[in-house]
Amino acid sequence: MDLQLAEKRVKDLHNLLNQYNYEYHVLDQPSVPDAEYDRLMRDLIELEGQFPELKTEDSPTQRVGGEILDMFEKVEHQSQMLSLGNAFSEQDLRDFDRRVRQGAGENVSYVCELKIDGLAVSLRYEDGLFTLGATRGDGSIGENITANLKTIRSIPLRLKESVTMEVRGEAFMPRRSFEKLNKAKEENGEEPFANPRNAAAGSLRQLDPRLAAKRNLDIFVYGIANVGDTGVVSHSEGLDYLDSLGFKTNKERKRCESIEKVIEYVQGWTDKRPNLSYDIDGIVIKVDSLESQEQLGTTAKSPRWAIAYKFPAEEVVT
Ligand SMILES: NC(=O)c1cc2c(N)ncc(C(N)=O)c2s1
């Protein structure tokens, strides 16, 4: 095969493998059997072996990077990763709603989202390519864990549009993976992780990406850091935009026209929580209109237009 033909074949294989990966890990609706995916991956690995100049950073073969790092370098976030104020009761939610309506007017609607119990991360894309993944750190400076985040299959290496943006999400370990990992640890006489959040954090802190790749981590993307540049006018529209780019967002989100509806959503999930395949520790409630978010602004560390309702800590049955 000559270089020109190889270039065309490599491009086709990238598109096919990215699409099949998206269907399997983001939509959970694979359209081809695993054997077909593996066959195409083997073809791409072989072609990259014959034509090394065709092996690119964003190739599906490059998800699990080679070298073992000796440390994580520090990186500065383009915009601060804020933390959320907490609500612990219905009254706290009504007080939040009153403050929002005082600051942004009576006609306000909210978006309710499950608060994933994992590790907040920031993902940077340049011209559609995943270029940097970082932990939250202190909100301004985080750690560069790009190599480990690349191993999470629901993180696209290339977006469906060549946009430059920074998105926020929560990396987490599904409960089944957590139970499997702890069983293996106990069989090896190792200390098990206390909960999936610690297991996810411990996995993303591995200096060898091949170890992180074995931990079956996942992510839900939930925000756009530079949302002003995208032209969307509401948070819910921003989440739909993230879906259209190929990101995995959480489908349980709900737009609520009043705090009463928010309280209903919170009560509903208090009972349904155990049915989820991942841990949540609350519900995030955000003002939907970006103009109203702008009007409300932020305190030094938290947005005035969002709050996290925290579920009561579960009694640990010893
Ligand atoms: N600290 C934060 O700002 C957030 C933390 C989280 C979290 N752990 N899970 C979901 C969301 C969300 N859907 O917005 C947020 S937002």
Side-chain angles (χ1 to χ4, degrees):
M1 187 188 293
D2 68 10
L3 180 61
Q4 200 179 3
L5 202 55
E7 244 167 354
K8 165 100 178 56
R9 180 68 181 140
V10 162
K11 191 169 181 306
D12 293 345
L13 285 169
H14 275 219
N15 293 335
L16 278 171
L17 287 163
N18 286 339
Q19 178 58 23
Y20 293 155
N21 182 76
Y22 171 72
E23 289 166 355
Y24 189 101
H25 291 279
V26 177
L27 303 182
D28 194 17
Q29 291 162 1
S31 66
V32 296
D34 294 2
E36 172 64 4
Y37 181 89
D38 296 343
R39 183 181 69 78
L40 294 171
M41 184 63 88
R42 277 197 304 277
D43 287 357
L44 181 54
I45 291 168
E46 195 180 320
L47 267 177
E48 289 177 347
Q50 286 167 12
F51 302 88
E53 64 272 41
L54 298 181
K55 182 156 74 172
T56 54
E57 178 81 10
D58 71 310
S59 169
T61 64
Q62 302 306 299
R63 267 197 183 273
V64 185
E67 86 231 34
I68 300 174
L69 301 175
D70 49 26
M71 56 158 302
F72 294 115
E73 63 178 35
K74 297 291 183 201
V75 286
E76 185 164 9
H77 301 302
Q78 278 173 349
S79 55
Q80 210 188 352
M81 291 180 73
L82 296 169
S83 52
L84 293 173
N86 290 328
F88 297 98
S89 66
E90 241 182 72
Q91 191 52 51
D92 288 347
L93 291 175
R94 292 183 196 286
D95 292 346
F96 167 68
D97 175 53
R98 180 172 37 75
R99 293 195 298 272
V100 163
R101 284 182 290 109
Q102 272 167 352
E106 285 302 312
N107 175 24
V108 69
S109 53
Y110 297 103
V111 178
C112 291
E113 298 171 68
L114 301 184
K115 189 170 182 301
I116 312 304
D117 196 5
L119 198 75
V121 294
S122 178
L123 307 176
R124 185 176 299 166
Y125 286 78
E126 290 166 58
D127 300 325
L129 272 182
F130 178 45
T131 55
L132 177 71
T135 62
R136 180 181 178 282
D138 65 4
S140 302
I141 309 279
E143 287 182 322
N144 183 338
I145 54 166
T146 306
N148 286 344
L149 288 171
K150 276 178 86 168
T151 69
I152 299 181
R153 308 298 295 274
S154 47
I155 290 181
L157 298 179
R158 175 187 285 279
L159 300 178
K160 293 180 188 288
E161 283 173 43
S162 58
V163 291
T164 294
M165 67 189 319
E166 192 162 295
V167 300
R168 302 286 150 78
E170 196 85 0
F172 66 94
M173 184 179 289
R175 281 199 191 120
R176 274 163 50 100
S177 310
F178 169 69
E179 279 139 25
K180 255 171 64 180
L181 174 63
N182 265 1
K183 188 163 172 288
K185 277 187 166 294
E186 279 157 4
E187 280 162 6
N188 292 348
E190 291 168 38
E191 187 65 23
F193 284 108
N195 53 54
R197 177 171 39 77
N198 290 5
S203 303
L204 286 172
R205 265 204 301 270
Q206 291 293 329
L207 289 166
D208 180 354
R210 284 165 299 189
L211 293 180
K214 292 195 175 81
R215 294 294 177 83
N216 188 34
L217 296 172
D218 203 340
I219 192 170
F220 286 119
V221 171
Y222 55 62
I224 304 170
N226 54 319
V227 67
D229 308 347
T230 60
V232 300
V233 293
S234 71
H235 176 62
S236 37
E237 200 189 325
L239 292 170
D240 296 342
Y241 178 54
L242 289 171
D243 285 337
S244 73
L245 290 174
F247 286 111
K248 182 171 186 175
T249 65
N250 191 286
K251 300 295 168 278
E252 304 300 346
R253 61 182 182 263
K254 187 173 187 315
R255 199 167 177 280
C256 295
E257 310 291 331
S258 69
I259 199 66
E260 294 310 323
K261 292 288 181 200
V262 167
I263 290 166
E264 265 174 49
Y265 180 91
V266 166
Q267 281 165 344
W269 276 104
T270 305
D271 313 330
K272 287 187 294 185
R273 195 172 157 198
N275 310 346
L276 289 165
S277 61
Y278 47 86
D279 280 1
I280 61 171
D281 61 344
I283 303 291
V284 176
I285 298 117
K286 296 178 181 174
V287 169
D288 195 25
S289 150
L290 294 186
E291 187 187 345
S292 300
Q293 289 187 10
E294 194 71 31
Q295 250 180 310
L296 290 159
T298 68
T299 66
K301 66 182 187 50
S302 297
R304 289 196 189 87
W305 43 266
I307 199 161
Y309 173 82
K310 304 288 287 209
F311 291 126
E314 283 168 335
E315 303 82 53
V316 179
V317 180
T318 48

